[in-house]
Coordinates of all heavy atoms in Angstrom, one line a residue:
Chain A
G411 N -8.2 26.2 -8.5 CA -7.0 27.1 -8.3 C -6.0 26.6 -7.4 O -5.9 25.4 -7.0
M412 N -5.1 27.6 -7.0 CA -3.9 27.2 -6.3 C -4.2 27.1 -4.8 O -5.0 27.8 -4.2 CB -2.9 28.3 -6.5 CG -2.6 28.6 -7.9 SD -2.0 27.2 -8.8 CE -0.4 26.9 -8.0
Q413 N -3.4 26.2 -4.1 CA -3.5 26.0 -2.7 C -2.8 27.2 -2.0 O -1.8 27.8 -2.5 CB -2.7 24.8 -2.3 CG -3.4 23.5 -2.5 CD -2.5 22.3 -2.2 OE1 -1.5 22.4 -1.6 NE2 -3.0 21.1 -2.6
N414 N -3.3 27.6 -0.9 CA -2.7 28.6 0.0 C -2.5 29.9 -0.7 O -1.5 30.6 -0.3 CB -1.4 28.1 0.6 CG -1.5 26.8 1.3 OD1 -2.5 26.5 1.9 ND2 -0.6 25.9 1.1
G415 N -3.3 30.2 -1.7 CA -3.1 31.5 -2.3 C -1.8 31.7 -3.0 O -1.4 32.9 -3.3
K416 N -1.1 30.7 -3.3 CA 0.2 30.8 -3.9 C 0.1 31.2 -5.4 O -1.0 31.0 -6.0 CB 1.1 29.6 -3.8 CG 1.4 29.3 -2.4 CD 2.8 29.8 -2.0 CE 3.2 29.4 -0.6 NZ 4.5 29.9 -0.2
R417 N 1.2 31.6 -6.0 CA 1.2 32.0 -7.4 C 1.4 30.8 -8.3 O 2.3 30.0 -8.0 CB 2.3 33.0 -7.6 CG 1.9 34.2 -8.4 CD 3.1 35.1 -8.6 NE 3.5 35.0 -10.0 CZ 2.9 35.7 -11.0 NH1 2.1 36.6 -10.6 NH2 3.3 35.6 -12.2
F418 N 0.6 30.7 -9.3 CA 0.8 29.6 -10.3 C 2.1 29.8 -11.0 O 2.5 30.9 -11.4 CB -0.3 29.6 -11.3 CG -0.1 28.7 -12.5 CD1 -0.5 27.4 -12.5 CD2 0.5 29.2 -13.6 CE1 -0.3 26.5 -13.6 CE2 0.8 28.3 -14.7 CZ 0.3 27.0 -14.7
K419 N 2.9 28.7 -11.2 CA 4.1 28.9 -12.0 C 4.1 28.1 -13.2 O 4.4 28.6 -14.3 CB 5.4 28.5 -11.2 CG 6.7 28.8 -11.9 CD 7.9 28.1 -11.3 CE 8.6 29.1 -10.4 NZ 9.8 28.5 -9.9
A420 N 3.8 26.8 -13.1 CA 3.8 25.9 -14.3 C 2.9 24.7 -14.1 O 2.5 24.5 -12.9 CB 5.2 25.5 -14.6
V421 N 2.6 24.1 -15.2 CA 1.8 22.8 -15.0 C 2.6 21.8 -15.8 O 3.0 22.0 -16.9 CB 0.4 23.0 -15.4 CG1 0.2 23.5 -16.8 CG2 -0.3 21.6 -15.4
Q422 N 2.8 20.6 -15.1 CA 3.6 19.5 -15.8 C 2.5 18.6 -16.3 O 1.7 18.0 -15.5 CB 4.5 18.9 -14.7 CG 5.8 18.3 -15.2 CD 5.6 17.0 -16.0 OE1 4.6 16.4 -15.9 NE2 6.6 16.6 -16.8
I423 N 2.5 18.4 -17.6 CA 1.5 17.5 -18.2 C 2.1 16.3 -18.8 O 3.2 16.4 -19.5 CB 0.7 18.2 -19.2 CG1 0.1 19.5 -18.6 CG2 -0.5 17.4 -19.7 CD1 -0.6 20.4 -19.6
G424 N 1.5 15.1 -18.7 CA 2.0 14.0 -19.5 C 3.0 13.2 -18.8 O 3.7 12.3 -19.4
G425 N 3.3 13.4 -17.5 CA 4.2 12.6 -16.7 C 5.6 12.7 -17.2 O 6.0 13.8 -17.8
P426 N 6.4 11.7 -17.0 CA 7.8 11.8 -17.3 C 8.1 12.0 -18.8 O 9.2 12.5 -19.2 CB 8.4 10.5 -16.9 CG 7.3 9.6 -16.6 CD 6.1 10.4 -16.4
S427 N 7.1 11.7 -19.7 CA 7.4 12.0 -21.1 C 6.8 13.3 -21.5 O 7.0 13.7 -22.7 CB 6.8 10.9 -22.0 OG 5.9 10.0 -21.2
G428 N 6.2 14.0 -20.6 CA 5.6 15.3 -20.9 C 6.5 16.5 -20.6 O 7.7 16.3 -20.6
G429 N 5.9 17.6 -20.5 CA 6.7 18.8 -20.2 C 6.0 19.8 -19.4 O 4.8 19.6 -18.9
C430 N 6.7 20.9 -19.0 CA 6.2 21.9 -18.2 C 5.7 23.1 -19.0 O 6.5 23.6 -19.8 CB 7.3 22.4 -17.2 SG 7.7 21.2 -16.0
L431 N 4.5 23.6 -18.8 CA 4.1 24.7 -19.5 C 3.9 25.9 -18.5 O 3.4 25.7 -17.4 CB 2.7 24.4 -20.2 CG 2.8 23.3 -21.2 CD1 1.5 23.0 -21.9 CD2 3.9 23.6 -22.3
P432 N 4.2 27.1 -19.0 CA 4.2 28.3 -18.1 C 2.8 28.9 -18.2 O 1.9 28.5 -18.9 CB 5.2 29.2 -18.7 CG 5.2 28.9 -20.2 CD 4.8 27.4 -20.3
E433 N 2.7 30.0 -17.4 CA 1.5 30.8 -17.3 C 1.0 31.2 -18.7 O -0.2 31.2 -19.0 CB 1.7 32.0 -16.5 CG 0.4 32.6 -16.1 CD 0.6 33.6 -14.9 OE1 1.7 33.7 -14.4 OE2 -0.4 34.2 -14.5
S434 N 1.9 31.6 -19.6 CA 1.5 32.1 -20.9 C 0.8 31.0 -21.7 O 0.1 31.3 -22.7 CB 2.7 32.6 -21.7 OG 3.6 31.5 -21.9
A435 N 0.9 29.7 -21.3 CA 0.2 28.7 -22.1 C -1.2 28.3 -21.5 O -1.8 27.4 -22.0 CB 1.1 27.4 -22.1
L436 N -1.6 29.1 -20.4 CA -2.8 28.7 -19.7 C -4.1 28.7 -20.6 O -5.0 28.0 -20.3 CB -3.0 29.6 -18.5 CG -2.2 29.1 -17.2 CD1 -2.5 30.1 -16.1 CD2 -2.6 27.7 -16.8
D437 N -4.1 29.6 -21.6 CA -5.3 29.7 -22.4 C -5.3 28.7 -23.6 O -6.1 28.8 -24.5 CB -5.5 31.1 -22.8 CG -5.9 31.9 -21.6 OD1 -6.8 31.5 -20.9 OD2 -5.2 33.0 -21.4
L438 N -4.3 27.8 -23.6 CA -4.2 26.8 -24.7 C -5.3 25.8 -24.5 O -5.6 25.3 -23.5 CB -2.9 26.1 -24.4 CG -2.3 25.3 -25.6 CD1 -1.8 26.2 -26.6 CD2 -1.1 24.4 -25.0
P439 N -6.1 25.7 -25.6 CA -7.1 24.6 -25.6 C -6.4 23.3 -25.6 O -5.6 23.0 -26.5 CB -7.9 24.8 -26.9 CG -7.4 26.1 -27.5 CD -6.1 26.4 -26.9
I440 N -6.7 22.4 -24.7 CA -6.0 21.1 -24.6 C -6.4 20.1 -25.6 O -7.6 19.8 -25.7 CB -6.3 20.5 -23.2 CG1 -5.9 21.4 -22.1 CG2 -5.5 19.2 -23.1 CD1 -6.4 21.0 -20.7
D441 N -5.5 19.7 -26.4 CA -5.7 18.5 -27.2 C -4.4 17.8 -27.5 O -3.3 18.4 -27.1 CB -6.6 18.7 -28.5 CG -5.9 19.5 -29.6 OD1 -4.7 19.6 -29.5 OD2 -6.6 20.0 -30.5
F442 N -4.4 16.7 -28.2 CA -3.2 16.0 -28.4 C -2.1 16.9 -29.1 O -1.0 16.9 -28.7 CB -3.4 14.8 -29.4 CG -4.0 13.6 -28.7 CD1 -5.4 13.3 -28.8 CD2 -3.3 12.8 -27.8 CE1 -6.0 12.3 -28.2 CE2 -3.9 11.7 -27.2 CZ -5.2 11.5 -27.4
D443 N -2.5 17.6 -30.1 CA -1.6 18.3 -30.9 C -1.1 19.6 -30.3 O 0.1 20.0 -30.4 CB -2.1 18.6 -32.3 CG -2.7 17.2 -32.9 OD1 -2.0 16.3 -33.0 OD2 -3.9 17.2 -33.1
S444 N -2.0 20.3 -29.6 CA -1.7 21.6 -29.0 C -0.6 21.4 -27.9 O 0.3 22.1 -27.8 CB -2.9 22.3 -28.5 OG -3.4 21.6 -27.4
L445 N -0.8 20.3 -27.2 CA 0.2 20.1 -26.1 C 1.5 19.7 -26.7 O 2.5 20.1 -26.2 CB -0.4 18.9 -25.2 CG -1.5 19.3 -24.3 CD1 -1.9 18.1 -23.4 CD2 -1.2 20.5 -23.4
T446 N 1.5 18.9 -27.7 CA 2.8 18.5 -28.3 C 3.5 19.7 -28.9 O 4.7 19.9 -28.7 CB 2.6 17.4 -29.4 OG1 1.8 16.4 -28.8 CG2 3.9 16.8 -29.9
D447 N 2.7 20.6 -29.5 CA 3.4 21.8 -30.1 C 4.0 22.6 -29.0 O 5.0 23.3 -29.2 CB 2.3 22.6 -30.9 CG 1.9 21.8 -32.2 OD1 2.6 20.9 -32.5 OD2 0.8 22.2 -32.7
A448 N 3.3 22.7 -27.9 CA 3.8 23.5 -26.8 C 5.0 22.9 -26.1 O 5.6 23.5 -25.2 CB 2.7 23.9 -25.8
G449 N 5.3 21.7 -26.4 CA 6.5 21.1 -25.8 C 6.1 20.1 -24.7 O 7.0 19.6 -24.0
A450 N 4.8 19.9 -24.4 CA 4.4 18.9 -23.4 C 3.8 17.7 -24.2 O 4.2 17.5 -25.4 CB 3.4 19.5 -22.5
M451 N 3.0 17.0 -23.6 CA 2.4 15.8 -24.2 C 1.2 15.4 -23.5 O 1.1 15.6 -22.3 CB 3.4 14.7 -24.2 CG 3.4 13.8 -25.4 SD 4.8 12.6 -25.3 CE 3.9 11.2 -24.8
M452 N 0.2 14.9 -24.2 CA -1.0 14.4 -23.5 C -0.6 13.3 -22.5 O -1.0 13.1 -21.4 CB -2.0 13.9 -24.5 CG -3.3 13.5 -23.8 SD -4.2 14.9 -23.3 CE -5.2 15.3 -24.7
G453 N 0.4 12.4 -23.0 CA 0.8 11.3 -22.2 C -0.4 10.5 -21.7 O -1.3 10.4 -22.4
S454 N -0.3 10.1 -20.5 CA -1.4 9.3 -20.0 C -2.3 10.2 -19.2 O -3.3 9.7 -18.7 CB -0.8 8.2 -19.0 OG -0.1 8.9 -18.0
G455 N -2.0 11.5 -19.0 CA -3.0 12.4 -18.4 C -2.7 12.8 -17.0 O -3.6 13.3 -16.3
G456 N -1.5 12.7 -16.6 CA -1.1 13.2 -15.3 C -1.0 14.7 -15.4 O -0.5 15.2 -16.4
M457 N -1.5 15.5 -14.5 CA -1.3 17.0 -14.5 C -0.9 17.5 -13.1 O -1.7 17.4 -12.2 CB -2.7 17.6 -14.9 CG -2.5 19.0 -15.4 SD -4.1 19.8 -15.8 CE -4.3 19.4 -17.5
I458 N 0.3 17.9 -13.0 CA 0.8 18.3 -11.7 C 1.0 19.8 -11.8 O 1.7 20.4 -12.6 CB 2.2 17.6 -11.4 CG1 2.0 16.1 -11.5 CG2 2.7 18.1 -10.1 CD1 3.3 15.3 -11.4
V459 N 0.3 20.5 -10.9 CA 0.4 22.0 -10.8 C 1.5 22.4 -9.9 O 1.6 21.9 -8.8 CB -1.0 22.5 -10.4 CG1 -1.0 24.0 -10.3 CG2 -2.1 22.0 -11.4
L460 N 2.3 23.4 -10.4 CA 3.4 23.8 -9.6 C 3.3 25.3 -9.3 O 2.7 26.1 -10.0 CB 4.7 23.6 -10.5 CG 4.9 22.2 -11.0 CD1 6.1 22.2 -12.0 CD2 5.2 21.2 -9.9
D461 N 3.8 25.7 -8.1 CA 3.7 27.1 -7.7 C 5.1 27.7 -7.6 O 6.1 27.1 -7.9 CB 2.8 27.2 -6.5 CG 3.5 26.7 -5.2 OD1 4.7 26.4 -5.3 OD2 2.8 26.6 -4.2
E462 N 5.1 28.9 -7.1 CA 6.3 29.7 -6.9 C 7.4 29.0 -6.1 O 8.6 29.3 -6.2 CB 6.0 31.1 -6.3 CG 5.2 30.9 -5.0 CD 4.5 32.2 -4.6 OE1 5.3 33.1 -4.2 OE2 3.3 32.3 -4.7
D463 N 7.0 28.0 -5.3 CA 8.0 27.3 -4.5 C 8.6 26.1 -5.2 O 9.4 25.4 -4.6 CB 7.4 26.8 -3.2 CG 6.9 28.0 -2.3 OD1 7.4 29.1 -2.4 OD2 5.9 27.8 -1.5
D464 N 8.3 25.9 -6.4 CA 8.8 24.7 -7.1 C 9.9 25.2 -8.1 O 9.7 26.1 -8.9 CB 7.7 24.0 -7.9 CG 6.7 23.3 -7.0 OD1 7.2 22.5 -6.2 OD2 5.5 23.6 -7.1
C465 N 11.1 24.6 -7.9 CA 12.2 24.9 -8.8 C 12.1 24.1 -10.1 O 12.0 22.9 -10.1 CB 13.5 24.6 -8.1 SG 14.9 24.6 -9.2
M466 N 12.1 24.8 -11.2 CA 11.9 24.1 -12.5 C 13.1 23.2 -12.8 O 12.9 22.2 -13.5 CB 11.6 25.1 -13.6 CG 10.4 26.0 -13.3 SD 9.0 25.1 -12.8 CE 8.5 24.2 -14.2
V467 N 14.3 23.6 -12.4 CA 15.4 22.7 -12.7 C 15.3 21.4 -11.9 O 15.5 20.3 -12.4 CB 16.8 23.4 -12.3 CG1 17.9 22.5 -12.8 CG2 16.9 24.8 -13.0
E468 N 14.9 21.5 -10.7 CA 14.7 20.4 -9.8 C 13.5 19.5 -10.4 O 13.6 18.2 -10.3 CB 14.4 20.8 -8.4 CG 14.0 19.7 -7.4 CD 14.9 18.6 -7.3 OE1 16.1 18.8 -7.6 OE2 14.5 17.4 -7.0
I469 N 12.5 20.1 -10.9 CA 11.4 19.3 -11.4 C 11.9 18.5 -12.6 O 11.6 17.3 -12.7 CB 10.2 20.3 -11.9 CG1 9.6 21.0 -10.7 CG2 9.2 19.5 -12.7 CD1 8.9 20.1 -9.7
A470 N 12.6 19.2 -13.5 CA 13.2 18.5 -14.7 C 14.1 17.3 -14.2 O 14.0 16.2 -14.7 CB 13.9 19.4 -15.5
R471 N 14.9 17.6 -13.2 CA 15.8 16.6 -12.7 C 15.0 15.4 -12.1 O 15.4 14.3 -12.3 CB 16.7 17.2 -11.6 CG 18.0 16.4 -11.2 CD 18.5 16.8 -9.9 NE 17.5 16.4 -8.8 CZ 17.4 15.2 -8.4 NH1 18.1 14.2 -8.8 NH2 16.4 14.9 -7.5
Y472 N 13.9 15.7 -11.4 CA 13.1 14.7 -10.8 C 12.6 13.7 -11.8 O 12.7 12.5 -11.7 CB 12.0 15.3 -10.0 CG 10.9 14.3 -9.5 CD1 11.1 13.6 -8.4 CD2 9.8 14.1 -10.3 CE1 10.2 12.6 -8.0 CE2 8.8 13.2 -9.9 CZ 9.0 12.4 -8.7 OH 8.1 11.5 -8.4
F473 N 12.0 14.3 -12.9 CA 11.4 13.4 -13.9 C 12.5 12.6 -14.7 O 12.3 11.5 -15.0 CB 10.5 14.2 -14.9 CG 9.2 14.5 -14.3 CD1 8.9 15.7 -13.8 CD2 8.3 13.4 -14.1 CE1 7.6 16.0 -13.2 CE2 7.0 13.7 -13.6 CZ 6.7 14.9 -13.1
L474 N 13.6 13.3 -14.9 CA 14.7 12.6 -15.6 C 15.3 11.5 -14.8 O 15.6 10.4 -15.3 CB 15.8 13.6 -16.0 CG 16.7 13.1 -17.1 CD1 15.9 13.0 -18.4 CD2 17.9 14.0 -17.3
E475 N 15.3 11.7 -13.5 CA 15.8 10.6 -12.6 C 14.9 9.4 -12.7 O 15.3 8.3 -12.8 CB 15.8 11.2 -11.2 CG 16.5 10.2 -10.2 CD 16.6 10.8 -8.8 OE1 15.8 11.6 -8.4 OE2 17.7 10.5 -8.2
F476 N 13.6 9.7 -12.8 CA 12.6 8.6 -13.0 C 12.9 7.8 -14.3 O 13.0 6.6 -14.3 CB 11.2 9.2 -12.9 CG 10.2 8.1 -13.2 CD1 9.7 7.3 -12.2 CD2 9.7 7.9 -14.5 CE1 8.8 6.3 -12.4 CE2 8.7 6.9 -14.7 CZ 8.3 6.1 -13.7
T477 N 12.9 8.6 -15.4 CA 13.0 7.8 -16.7 C 14.4 7.1 -16.8 O 14.5 6.1 -17.3 CB 13.0 8.8 -17.9 OG1 13.4 10.1 -17.6 CG2 11.6 8.8 -18.4
Q478 N 15.4 7.8 -16.2 CA 16.7 7.2 -16.2 C 16.7 5.9 -15.5 O 17.3 4.9 -15.9 CB 17.7 8.2 -15.6 CG 19.1 8.1 -16.1 CD 19.8 7.0 -15.4 OE1 19.7 6.8 -14.2 NE2 20.6 6.2 -16.2
R479 N 16.1 5.9 -14.4 CA 16.0 4.7 -13.6 C 15.2 3.6 -14.3 O 15.4 2.4 -14.2 CB 15.4 5.0 -12.2 CG 15.6 3.9 -11.1 CD 15.1 4.4 -9.8 NE 13.7 4.9 -9.8 CZ 13.3 6.0 -9.4 NH1 14.1 6.9 -8.8 NH2 12.0 6.4 -9.4
E480 N 14.2 4.0 -15.0 CA 13.2 3.1 -15.6 C 13.7 2.7 -17.0 O 13.0 1.8 -17.7 CB 11.8 3.7 -15.7 CG 11.2 3.9 -14.3 CD 10.9 2.6 -13.6 OE1 10.6 1.6 -14.3 OE2 11.0 2.5 -12.4

Side-chain angles (χ1 to χ4, degrees):
Chain A
M412 307 298 294
Q413 284 174 8
N414 307 322
K416 293 267 184 179
R417 230 184 106 84
F418 171 90
K419 185 193 262 183
V421 53
Q422 211 286 344
I423 307 175
S427 8
C430 289
L431 300 181
E433 194 163 1
S434 62
L436 278 179
D437 292 309
L438 197 71
I440 303 168
D441 71 16
F442 283 104
D443 311 301
S444 68
L445 289 181
T446 308
D447 291 345
M451 218 174 101
M452 187 71 91
S454 58
M457 197 184 269
I458 303 171
V459 178
L460 306 170
D461 70 11
E462 52 197 289
D463 296 335
D464 292 303
C465 167
M466 301 314 288
V467 186
E468 171 55 27
I469 295 292
R471 198 201 62 80
Y472 169 84
F473 281 106
L474 199 68
E475 187 174 37
F476 175 83
T477 28
Q478 208 280 318
R479 196 173 55 230
E480 294 293 328

